Structure formats: C-alpha cells, structure tokens
Amino acid sequence: MVGATTLAEWFPENKLKAPGMGGRSVFYRNLEERLDTRRAENITFHVRHNEPSPDSIDFSTLDFLGLTHSGMIRQPFLDELAAHPDFKLGAGGSRLLNGNNPYTDEAEREIAAFHGTETALLFHSGFEANVAIMLAVPRPGDAIIYDELVHASMHEGMQGSMALCKRSFKHNDVDNFREVLADVRNSQSQIKQGNSSVIIALESTYSMDGDVAPLQELVKVAEEVFPEGNAQFFVDEAHTTGVFGKQGRGLVHQVGMQDKIAIRMHTYGKALACTGAAVVCESPVRDTLINFARGFIYSTAPSFPMVAAIRAGYKLMMTNQTQPLQDRIQQLVKYFFRTLEANPIWEEANDEGILQVPNMQDWEDKAFVTHVIPFMTRQRYTAYLCWHLQLAGINCFPIDYPAVPRGMNRLRIVFHAHNNEEDIDKLVSATCEWAQEMLDIEEAGEKSKLPAAARQVIAGRRSQKSDGVR
C-alpha cells in the first residue's frame, strides 16, 4: 500500500508558476499562464508513477477480466508469435502502401465474424477509431445527434466533421432524444426529404458513470421518427468488449441489438489487455474509412505483435476461457451492493449526501450490473475519500473536471475478475469508516476540520518541502 508521502507526490499542491517567470521567454510564460488556469482550480493532470502497489487492492485499473493481473493472455500471445517465427516487427508503411499483410486481413475477418458483422477495420486506439468515424462517415447535409456524455474522442472528431448540424440530448433521456430527433428532422430539409442521414452516437456503457445506454428504447424511437431508415447508430463499446455479451461480444450483442447498429467500435486496451481497436460494420462504412479517414490513411499499419496480441485475446473469448471471468464480475458487483446496503452507516451517509452510488439504484431488478461504480460525495471531499482508501491499501483515483462535467467529480471504483469478497469487504468497511468520520465532523459543526487521511497527506507535503523536494 502507499503512504502519505507517496500520496503527497501524487497529489501535489498546485502553485502558480507564471508570476515568477519574468525573465523567461514569452513562449514559456504563455504556456505556464495557461497551465495556471488549471492550477488555480486544482485540476491539473500529472503523469504519476502510480501503478498499483503489489500489496494494494486494485479497484482502479481497466484490467476488467484480470488478463494482465493473471498473465492469462501471455501464453496465447507467445503462441501466436511462435506460430509465425519469421514475423517482421515493423509494418513497413501504411496499409494503403506496404503495410498490409494476410495476417492482419485474417484477424479482421475473425473479428467481424465474432461480432456478427460483414467487415472490421483495425485502428491503433479507440480514440483514433472514434475520431476517424466522426470525421469520415457524416456527409454534408447529415446531422450528428449524440448523448451529452459521449467520450472526448467523439467530440474531437465532430469538430472537423462535415455535418454542420450537431445536437446533443440529455444523458440516457429517451424523451429528450425523441424531441431532439424530431426537431432535427423538421429543421433539416435534406434529412426530412430522406436525402441525408442522422448519425446517432452513444456509448454502450459510460465509463465515468457506469450506466448503460437504453439501446432498445433509443432504436425504437429512431425507427418511429425515421421509418425510412436514414437514422443510423454508432456505438462505442470500449468498456463492454470482453465483459458483456456471449463470450464478450459486447453490450449491443447482450441486448440483442447487433442487427440494428450500423457501427460498433471495440477497444482492446482494457479487458483484452493489449492495444488497438476495431470498427465492426458493413463494407460501405469500412470503405469510407479507408478512403476518407486521415488517421487511417496516413498512419503506419499495426505491427505484427499488436495484431498477434489482439488475436490471442479473441482466441480466449472464442474458446469460452473468459466467460467465467465475465460471470465472476457480475457476482462481485452484486456482492458489493449487498454488503454496502447492509452496513449500518450506509443509509445515513446516502441520505446526507456524504456517499452516494447512482448506478446502485434498483440493482436487484436489473438483468445485469456494470463493473464501473462512481462514489459521489461533496466535491471537496472526493480527494479525502481517495486518500483514506489509498492509505487503507485500496488503489483508486478521483475523476475530476474536465474529464467529467464541473461539479460532478467522483471517485471511480472499477471491479475486476481478480477481486474477491474479502477485497470488497475491505472496500466497504474503509469507505463507511470514512463516511462516519465525515458525518461526525459535520455534525460537530467543524467544517474546517480535515479528516485524518487529509491531515496525513498535507503533513507529507510539508515534509517534502522541508527536505527540499519540489
């Protein structure tokens, strides 16, 4: 587990730097001034050496199935390499020049067949794939309608999209979606006449809130508003690949909507413990990406080891080796909900807004639960809860603006197949211990008093200063 000194390094004080740079070039002063706007709000990002300590409990990483933790994917990957001993390490160019090969083609055919689509196209990352889709697929006259909480990569792509009409709808709000969809139909003549399309962008599971898109309801509304079929869906499955659906095919498959979704994007850096992403779709979409997605056209092709790792992950799914891991995650999250509800402090902490878990509501009535759980508390308390849990040997991190909307900071808890009931007992016990401490502070009217973990971290910062650490 980490100590207060390490946490002080991970969460340093944000002091303004630009005022003390009078003698430096305006180039560097301007950069520091921009950074100071974040330092002033205590929302700067840092690249930390914060991999989970060997003796801490992992409730943070995106290694959902535990393939990294267990090393389960290592041997299938090595087997792929051994089966092709003369593989070339570098691709040698873009796939439109010298970088393509039969091995990558075969991998894409396997991916497409597994997900029940006509074709697939590999990318280096999910971010790159999402940008490519939003840039290349919408045409002039088309419209993009997107859930307000979609990933930053979709927004990045939308900025350069040829679709001039871009409208968001309230997160997972089917009624508002209908209103926005109808308004776009009525205000965009090309779309109303059936000559242009509406691309509807969603995530199947939202990585910061841990909730699920109501796909069936959204598709039904789109078919009612656009019975001629010129409204099509693009779903980001980054956080459901390997975790939901038969053999890990994703949430779209789990809810039986694979024939209703034009474009799906699956990533491999999370549950499959490798890198890259694939767009699964019909051939017109793939050909459009190949011809108009600059990130694909001008990037060097995936290397052999990258594709080999992806194929190793798919072989684990295809042979049902990951299915028990999916099932285990479901069991553990449900155990967490039951254990938290049974803790005597939970009800008061929830009622007072000290600790709330939005996607826990009505969990017993849901067909499945998700593996991402946001702990919501008062905004200034989020770091305090993180520090308390870290000092208790639980690895987790807060998610702050701009990764989430202002005022919506949270501590993100991620469940893995390699967690166990004892881990969850410790998580619930430590969390409720902190909640009791905060309730006591508030009840005593000592709002300026810091909880014990925060005092330790601040003492660690002072110790660093006295030792000359900057």
Side-chain angles (χ1 to χ4, degrees):
M1 66 184 67
V2 301
T5 302
T6 300
L7 287 175
E9 295 173 358
W10 289 356
F11 298 90
E13 281 188 279
N14 285 298
K15 291 192 173 182
L16 305 186
K17 293 186 178 182
M21 296 185 65
R24 296 294 303 276
S25 161
V26 67
F27 172 75
Y28 293 106
R29 289 204 312 271
N30 287 344
L31 292 178
E32 291 292 4
E33 284 178 0
R34 186 183 184 195
L35 289 167
D36 279 350
T37 62
R38 288 200 172 179
R39 292 180 182 123
E41 296 186 70
N42 202 35
I43 55 172
T44 49
F45 295 147
H46 303 277
V47 178
R48 313 175 176 107
H49 296 289
N50 55 6
E51 61 274 5
S53 173
D55 55 355
S56 69
I57 302 171
D58 178 15
F59 281 107
S60 177
T61 73
L62 304 182
D63 182 27
F64 305 138
L65 298 177
L67 300 187
T68 295
H69 177 85
S70 67
M72 185 176 172
I73 197 171
R74 186 181 299 115
Q75 193 57 51
F77 170 62
L78 295 175
D79 291 344
E80 279 293 308
L81 299 184
H84 304 83
D86 298 324
F87 73 85
K88 295 178 181 179
L89 187 59
S94 81
R95 290 185 69 185
L96 303 185
L97 297 176
N98 307 106
N100 199 39
N101 56 69
Y103 187 80
T104 301
D105 288 340
E106 181 60 26
E108 289 177 337
R109 285 192 290 271
E110 286 181 352
I111 292 168
F114 182 77
H115 291 288
T117 58
E118 184 181 357
T119 63
L121 188 66
L122 284 170
F123 285 85
H124 288 281
S125 71
F127 195 106
E128 181 184 283
N130 279 352
V131 170
I133 293 165
M134 298 306 255
L135 279 173
V137 173
R139 312 305 304 148
D142 289 348
I144 300 172
I145 295 178
Y146 59 96
D147 187 291
E148 64 182 350
L149 296 187
V150 293
H151 194 273
S153 54
M154 293 191 187
H155 288 278
E156 187 85 5
M158 279 190 280
Q159 288 181 12
S161 171
M162 287 187 285
L164 298 180
C165 178
K166 306 177 185 77
R167 295 278 304 276
S168 67
F169 64 94
K170 294 177 183 177
H171 177 56
N172 279 352
D173 189 323
V174 177
D175 292 334
N176 185 243
F177 172 70
R178 181 187 292 275
E179 292 172 6
V180 173
L181 204 61
D183 185 58
V184 168
R185 178 198 60 196
N186 296 334
S187 64
Q188 306 295 313
S189 59
Q190 287 290 98
I191 292 173
K192 188 173 185 178
Q193 294 166 12
N195 298 321
S196 293
S197 300
V198 177
I199 291 87
I200 301 159
L202 314 166
E203 295 180 38
S204 52
T205 293
Y206 289 83
S207 61
M208 299 300 171
D209 293 79
D211 54 358
V212 175
L215 282 173
Q216 295 103 321
E217 294 91 336
L218 295 173
V219 169
K220 181 180 179 182
V221 168
E223 290 178 341
E224 291 172 357
V225 177
F226 290 99
E228 64 277 14
N230 57 323
Q232 296 291 332
F233 283 78
F234 157 38
V235 177
D236 179 334
E237 294 248 50
H239 286 262
T240 60
T241 307
V243 182
F244 291 105
K246 183 181 179 182
Q247 298 176 312
R249 286 174 168 84
L251 189 129
V252 170
H253 188 276
Q254 174 147 338
V255 298
M257 301 300 291
Q258 58 269 30
D259 295 332
K260 299 287 188 178
I261 307 300
I263 306 170
R264 283 175 274 162
M265 193 283 294
H266 292 273
T267 60
Y268 307 126
K270 300 175 177 66
L272 291 197
C274 46
T275 59
V279 177
V280 296
C281 53
E282 293 190 14
S283 57
V285 175
R286 185 180 192 270
D287 292 342
T288 295
L289 292 171
I290 290 171
N291 281 275
F292 296 104
R294 287 175 292 179
F296 177 86
I297 296 168
Y298 300 112
S299 289
T300 302
S303 67
F304 184 92
M306 172 182 161
V307 181
I310 293 170
R311 294 188 79 174
Y314 270 93
K315 286 182 179 178
L316 289 174
M317 292 194 291
M318 292 174 183
T319 55
N320 290 312
Q321 294 182 65
T322 58
Q323 187 66 54
L325 304 177
Q326 290 181 234
D327 298 340
R328 179 61 172 157
I329 292 171
Q330 291 291 304
Q331 295 166 6
L332 290 172
V333 176
K334 291 175 182 178
Y335 179 81
F336 163 75
F337 288 154
R338 287 195 298 271
T339 306
L340 183 58
E341 285 180 338
N343 191 285
I345 197 60
W346 160 248
E347 187 173 347
E348 182 181 1
N350 180 56
D351 290 344
E352 294 297 324
I354 294 293
L355 179 66
Q356 296 181 326
V357 181
N359 60 349
M360 183 174 171
Q361 185 175 4
D362 300 324
W363 68 270
E364 290 180 297
D365 298 328
K366 296 176 181 177
F368 55 88
V369 292
T370 60
H371 48 298
V372 176
I373 306 295
F375 281 2
M376 309 297 291
T377 182
R378 310 204 198 295
Q379 292 303 287
R380 66 186 185 278
Y381 290 178
T382 305
Y384 300 164
L385 175 55
C386 171
W387 297 342
H388 183 95
L389 294 181
Q390 287 276 9
L391 292 173
I394 295 168
N395 186 263
C396 57
F397 286 92
I399 307 293
D400 302 319
Y401 174 84
V404 293
R406 286 187 185 276
M408 295 299 292
N409 296 2
R410 78 281 312 273
L411 192 72
R412 185 171 70 171
I413 300 296
V414 180
F415 287 83
H416 315 86
H418 58 265
N419 291 131
N420 57 44
E421 285 80 358
E422 185 179 348
D423 295 341
I424 292 168
D425 289 341
K426 188 169 184 178
L427 171 66
V428 170
S429 176
T431 301
C432 290
E433 176 186 71
W434 172 85
Q436 181 66 71
E437 183 181 15
M438 299 312 300
L439 285 168
D440 291 343
I441 289 173
E442 291 196 353
E443 185 177 351
E446 301 175 309
K447 292 188 177 181
S448 62
K449 180 180 178 181
L450 295 176
R455 295 197 299 271
Q456 291 181 56
V457 173
I458 290 171
R461 289 173 177 169
R462 291 171 180 161
S463 175
Q464 288 179 334
K465 288 180 183 178
S466 64
D467 293 339
V469 177
R470 293 290 183 268

Coordinates of all heavy atoms in Angstrom, one line a residue, residues 248-300:
G248 N -18.1 -12.3 -24.6 CA -17.5 -11.0 -24.5 C -17.8 -10.2 -25.8 O -17.0 -9.2 -26.1
R249 N -18.8 -10.4 -26.5 CA -19.1 -9.7 -27.8 C -19.5 -8.3 -27.6 O -19.6 -7.5 -28.5 CB -20.2 -10.5 -28.6 CG -19.6 -11.7 -29.2 CD -20.8 -12.5 -29.9 NE -20.3 -13.6 -30.8 CZ -19.9 -14.8 -30.4 NH1 -20.0 -15.1 -29.1 NH2 -19.5 -15.7 -31.2
G250 N -19.9 -7.9 -26.4 CA -20.2 -6.5 -26.1 C -21.7 -6.4 -25.7 O -22.5 -7.3 -25.8
L251 N -22.0 -5.2 -25.2 CA -23.4 -5.0 -24.7 C -24.4 -5.0 -25.8 O -25.6 -5.4 -25.6 CB -23.4 -3.7 -23.9 CG -24.7 -3.5 -23.1 CD1 -24.5 -3.2 -21.7 CD2 -25.6 -2.4 -23.8
V252 N -24.1 -4.4 -27.0 CA -25.0 -4.4 -28.1 C -25.5 -5.9 -28.4 O -26.7 -6.1 -28.6 CB -24.4 -3.8 -29.3 CG1 -25.2 -4.1 -30.6 CG2 -24.1 -2.3 -29.2
H253 N -24.6 -6.8 -28.3 CA -24.9 -8.2 -28.6 C -25.7 -8.7 -27.4 O -26.7 -9.5 -27.6 CB -23.7 -9.0 -28.7 CG -23.9 -10.5 -29.2 ND1 -24.2 -11.4 -28.2 CD2 -24.0 -11.0 -30.4 CE1 -24.4 -12.6 -28.9 NE2 -24.2 -12.4 -30.2
Q254 N -25.4 -8.4 -26.2 CA -26.1 -8.9 -25.0 C -27.6 -8.5 -25.0 O -28.4 -9.3 -24.6 CB -25.4 -8.3 -23.7 CG -26.2 -8.7 -22.4 CD -25.3 -8.9 -21.2 OE1 -24.1 -9.2 -21.4 NE2 -25.9 -8.8 -20.1
V255 N -27.9 -7.3 -25.5 CA -29.3 -6.9 -25.5 C -29.9 -7.2 -26.9 O -31.1 -6.7 -27.1 CB -29.4 -5.4 -25.1 CG1 -28.9 -5.1 -23.7 CG2 -28.7 -4.5 -26.1
G256 N -29.2 -7.9 -27.7 CA -29.8 -8.4 -29.0 C -30.1 -7.3 -30.0 O -31.0 -7.4 -30.8
M257 N -29.2 -6.3 -30.0 CA -29.4 -5.2 -31.0 C -28.3 -5.1 -32.1 O -28.2 -4.1 -32.8 CB -29.4 -3.8 -30.2 CG -30.5 -3.7 -29.1 SD -32.1 -3.9 -29.8 CE -32.3 -2.4 -30.7
Q258 N -27.6 -6.2 -32.2 CA -26.5 -6.2 -33.2 C -26.9 -5.9 -34.6 O -26.2 -5.3 -35.4 CB -25.6 -7.5 -33.1 CG -26.4 -8.7 -33.4 CD -26.9 -9.4 -32.1 OE1 -27.3 -8.7 -31.2 NE2 -27.0 -10.7 -32.1
D259 N -28.1 -6.3 -35.0 CA -28.6 -6.1 -36.3 C -29.2 -4.7 -36.5 O -29.6 -4.3 -37.6 CB -29.7 -7.1 -36.7 CG -29.1 -8.5 -36.7 OD1 -27.9 -8.7 -37.0 OD2 -29.9 -9.5 -36.5
K260 N -29.3 -3.9 -35.4 CA -29.8 -2.6 -35.5 C -28.8 -1.5 -35.4 O -29.1 -0.3 -35.6 CB -30.8 -2.4 -34.3 CG -32.0 -3.3 -34.3 CD -33.0 -3.0 -35.4 CE -34.3 -3.8 -35.3 NZ -35.3 -3.5 -36.3
I261 N -27.5 -1.8 -35.2 CA -26.5 -0.8 -35.0 C -25.5 -0.9 -36.2 O -24.9 -1.9 -36.5 CB -25.7 -1.1 -33.7 CG1 -26.7 -1.2 -32.5 CG2 -24.6 0.0 -33.5 CD1 -27.5 0.0 -32.3
A262 N -25.4 0.3 -36.9 CA -24.6 0.3 -38.1 C -23.1 0.2 -37.9 O -22.4 -0.4 -38.6 CB -24.9 1.6 -38.9
I263 N -22.7 0.9 -36.8 CA -21.2 0.9 -36.5 C -21.0 0.6 -35.0 O -21.6 1.2 -34.1 CB -20.6 2.3 -36.8 CG1 -21.0 2.7 -38.3 CG2 -19.1 2.3 -36.6 CD1 -20.6 4.2 -38.6
R264 N -20.1 -0.3 -34.7 CA -19.6 -0.5 -33.4 C -18.1 -0.4 -33.3 O -17.4 -0.7 -34.2 CB -20.0 -1.9 -32.9 CG -21.5 -2.1 -32.5 CD -21.8 -3.5 -32.2 NE -22.1 -4.3 -33.3 CZ -22.1 -5.6 -33.4 NH1 -21.7 -6.3 -32.4 NH2 -22.5 -6.3 -34.5
M265 N -17.7 0.2 -32.2 CA -16.2 0.3 -32.0 C -15.8 -0.5 -30.8 O -16.3 -0.2 -29.7 CB -15.8 1.8 -31.9 CG -14.3 2.1 -32.0 SD -13.4 1.7 -30.5 CE -14.0 2.9 -29.4
H266 N -14.9 -1.4 -30.9 CA -14.4 -2.2 -29.8 C -12.9 -1.9 -29.6 O -12.1 -1.9 -30.5 CB -14.6 -3.7 -30.1 CG -16.0 -4.2 -30.2 ND1 -16.7 -4.6 -29.1 CD2 -16.9 -4.3 -31.2 CE1 -17.9 -4.9 -29.4 NE2 -18.0 -4.7 -30.7
T267 N -12.6 -1.7 -28.3 CA -11.2 -1.5 -28.0 C -10.6 -2.7 -27.2 O -11.3 -3.5 -26.6 CB -11.0 -0.2 -27.1 OG1 -11.7 -0.4 -25.9 CG2 -11.5 1.0 -27.8
Y268 N -9.2 -2.7 -27.3 CA -8.5 -3.9 -26.7 C -7.5 -3.6 -25.6 O -6.9 -4.4 -25.1 CB -7.8 -4.6 -27.9 CG -8.7 -4.9 -29.0 CD1 -8.5 -4.5 -30.3 CD2 -10.0 -5.6 -28.8 CE1 -9.4 -4.8 -31.3 CE2 -10.9 -5.8 -29.8 CZ -10.6 -5.5 -31.1 OH -11.4 -5.7 -32.1
G269 N -7.4 -2.3 -25.2 CA -6.5 -1.9 -24.2 C -7.1 -2.1 -22.8 O -6.4 -1.8 -21.8
K270 N -8.3 -2.5 -22.6 CA -8.9 -2.6 -21.3 C -9.1 -4.1 -21.0 O -8.1 -4.8 -20.5 CB -10.2 -1.9 -21.3 CG -10.0 -0.4 -21.6 CD -11.3 0.3 -21.7 CE -11.1 1.8 -21.9 NZ -10.5 2.2 -23.2
A271 N -10.2 -4.7 -21.3 CA -10.5 -6.1 -20.9 C -9.5 -7.1 -21.5 O -9.2 -8.1 -21.0 CB -11.9 -6.5 -21.2
L272 N -9.1 -6.8 -22.8 CA -8.3 -7.8 -23.5 C -6.8 -7.6 -23.3 O -6.0 -8.3 -23.8 CB -8.6 -7.7 -25.0 CG -9.9 -8.3 -25.4 CD1 -9.9 -8.6 -26.9 CD2 -10.3 -9.5 -24.7
A273 N -6.4 -6.6 -22.5 CA -5.0 -6.4 -22.0 C -4.0 -6.3 -23.1 O -2.9 -6.8 -23.0 CB -4.7 -7.7 -21.1
C274 N -4.4 -5.7 -24.2 CA -3.4 -5.4 -25.3 C -3.7 -4.0 -25.8 O -4.0 -3.1 -25.0 CB -3.5 -6.5 -26.4 SG -5.1 -6.9 -27.0
T275 N -3.4 -3.7 -27.0 CA -3.7 -2.4 -27.6 C -4.4 -2.5 -28.9 O -4.5 -3.5 -29.5 CB -2.3 -1.7 -27.8 OG1 -1.6 -2.4 -28.8 CG2 -1.5 -1.5 -26.6
G276 N -5.0 -1.3 -29.3 CA -5.7 -1.2 -30.6 C -7.2 -1.2 -30.4 O -7.7 -1.3 -29.3
A277 N -7.8 -1.1 -31.5 CA -9.3 -1.1 -31.6 C -9.7 -1.5 -33.0 O -9.0 -1.6 -33.9 CB -9.8 0.3 -31.3
A278 N -11.0 -1.9 -33.1 CA -11.6 -2.3 -34.4 C -13.0 -1.7 -34.5 O -13.7 -1.6 -33.6 CB -11.7 -3.8 -34.5
V279 N -13.3 -1.2 -35.7 CA -14.6 -0.8 -36.1 C -15.2 -2.0 -36.8 O -14.7 -2.5 -37.8 CB -14.6 0.4 -37.0 CG1 -16.0 0.8 -37.5 CG2 -13.9 1.6 -36.3
V280 N -16.4 -2.4 -36.3 CA -17.1 -3.5 -37.0 C -18.4 -2.9 -37.6 O -19.1 -2.2 -37.0 CB -17.4 -4.7 -36.0 CG1 -16.2 -5.3 -35.5 CG2 -18.3 -4.2 -34.8
C281 N -18.6 -3.3 -38.9 CA -19.6 -2.6 -39.7 C -19.8 -3.3 -41.0 O -19.2 -4.4 -41.2 CB -19.1 -1.2 -40.0 SG -17.4 -1.2 -40.7
E282 N -20.6 -2.8 -41.9 CA -20.8 -3.3 -43.2 C -19.8 -2.6 -44.1 O -19.2 -1.6 -43.8 CB -22.2 -3.0 -43.7 CG -23.3 -3.8 -42.9 CD -24.6 -3.7 -43.6 OE1 -24.7 -3.3 -44.8 OE2 -25.6 -4.1 -42.9
S283 N -19.5 -3.2 -45.3 CA -18.4 -2.8 -46.2 C -18.5 -1.3 -46.6 O -17.4 -0.7 -46.7 CB -18.4 -3.7 -47.4 OG -19.6 -3.7 -48.1
P284 N -19.7 -0.7 -46.9 CA -19.6 0.7 -47.2 C -19.0 1.6 -46.2 O -18.3 2.6 -46.5 CB -21.1 1.0 -47.4 CG -21.8 -0.3 -47.8 CD -21.0 -1.3 -47.0
V285 N -19.2 1.2 -44.9 CA -18.6 2.0 -43.8 C -17.1 1.8 -43.8 O -16.3 2.8 -43.7 CB -19.2 1.7 -42.5 CG1 -18.5 2.4 -41.3 CG2 -20.7 2.0 -42.4
R286 N -16.7 0.6 -43.9 CA -15.2 0.3 -43.9 C -14.5 1.0 -45.1 O -13.5 1.6 -44.9 CB -15.0 -1.3 -44.0 CG -13.5 -1.7 -43.9 CD -13.4 -3.2 -44.0 NE -12.1 -3.7 -43.7 CZ -11.1 -3.8 -44.5 NH1 -11.3 -3.5 -45.8 NH2 -9.9 -4.3 -44.1
D287 N -15.1 0.9 -46.3 CA -14.5 1.5 -47.5 C -14.5 3.0 -47.3 O -13.5 3.7 -47.7 CB -15.3 1.1 -48.7 CG -15.2 -0.3 -49.1 OD1 -14.2 -1.0 -48.6 OD2 -16.0 -0.8 -49.9
T288 N -15.5 3.6 -46.7 CA -15.5 5.0 -46.4 C -14.3 5.4 -45.5 O -13.6 6.4 -45.7 CB -16.8 5.5 -45.8 OG1 -17.8 5.3 -46.8 CG2 -16.8 6.9 -45.4
L289 N -14.1 4.6 -44.4 CA -13.0 4.9 -43.5 C -11.6 4.8 -44.2 O -10.7 5.6 -44.0 CB -13.1 3.9 -42.3 CG -14.2 4.1 -41.4 CD1 -14.3 3.0 -40.4 CD2 -14.2 5.5 -40.6
I290 N -11.5 3.8 -45.0 CA -10.2 3.6 -45.8 C -10.0 4.7 -46.7 O -8.8 5.1 -46.9 CB -10.3 2.2 -46.5 CG1 -10.3 1.0 -45.6 CG2 -9.1 2.1 -47.5 CD1 -10.5 -0.3 -46.2
N291 N -11.0 5.3 -47.3 CA -10.8 6.4 -48.2 C -10.8 7.8 -47.7 O -10.2 8.7 -48.3 CB -11.9 6.3 -49.3 CG -11.6 5.2 -50.3 OD1 -10.8 5.4 -51.3 ND2 -12.1 4.0 -50.1
F292 N -11.4 8.0 -46.5 CA -11.6 9.3 -46.0 C -11.1 9.6 -44.6 O -11.0 10.7 -44.2 CB -13.1 9.8 -46.1 CG -13.6 9.8 -47.5 CD1 -14.4 8.8 -48.0 CD2 -13.3 10.8 -48.4 CE1 -14.9 8.8 -49.3 CE2 -13.7 10.9 -49.7 CZ -14.6 9.8 -50.1
A293 N -10.7 8.5 -43.9 CA -10.2 8.7 -42.5 C -8.7 9.0 -42.5 O -8.0 8.0 -42.7 CB -10.6 7.5 -41.6
R294 N -8.3 10.2 -42.4 CA -6.9 10.6 -42.5 C -6.1 9.8 -41.5 O -4.9 9.5 -41.7 CB -6.8 12.1 -42.4 CG -7.2 12.8 -43.6 CD -7.2 14.3 -43.4 NE -8.1 14.8 -42.4 CZ -8.3 16.0 -42.0 NH1 -7.5 17.0 -42.6 NH2 -9.2 16.4 -41.1
G295 N -6.6 9.6 -40.3 CA -5.9 8.9 -39.3 C -5.5 7.5 -39.7 O -4.5 6.9 -39.3
F296 N -6.4 6.9 -40.5 CA -6.1 5.5 -41.1 C -5.1 5.7 -42.3 O -4.1 4.9 -42.4 CB -7.4 4.8 -41.5 CG -7.1 3.5 -42.1 CD1 -7.0 2.4 -41.4 CD2 -7.1 3.4 -43.5 CE1 -6.8 1.1 -42.0 CE2 -6.8 2.2 -44.1 CZ -6.7 1.0 -43.4
I297 N -5.4 6.6 -43.2 CA -4.7 6.7 -44.4 C -3.2 7.0 -44.2 O -2.3 6.4 -44.8 CB -5.3 7.8 -45.3 CG1 -6.7 7.4 -45.8 CG2 -4.4 8.0 -46.6 CD1 -7.5 8.5 -46.4
Y298 N -3.0 7.9 -43.2 CA -1.6 8.4 -43.0 C -0.9 7.8 -41.8 O 0.2 8.3 -41.4 CB -1.6 9.9 -43.0 CG -2.2 10.6 -44.2 CD1 -3.4 11.2 -44.2 CD2 -1.5 10.5 -45.4 CE1 -4.0 11.8 -45.3 CE2 -2.1 11.0 -46.6 CZ -3.3 11.7 -46.5 OH -3.8 12.2 -47.7
S299 N -1.4 6.8 -41.3 CA -0.7 6.1 -40.1 C -0.1 4.8 -40.6 O -0.6 4.1 -41.5 CB -1.7 5.7 -39.0 OG -2.2 6.9 -38.4
T300 N 1.1 4.5 -40.0 CA 1.7 3.2 -40.3 C 0.8 2.1 -39.8 O 0.1 2.3 -38.8 CB 3.1 3.2 -39.5 OG1 3.9 4.3 -40.0 CG2 3.8 1.9 -39.8

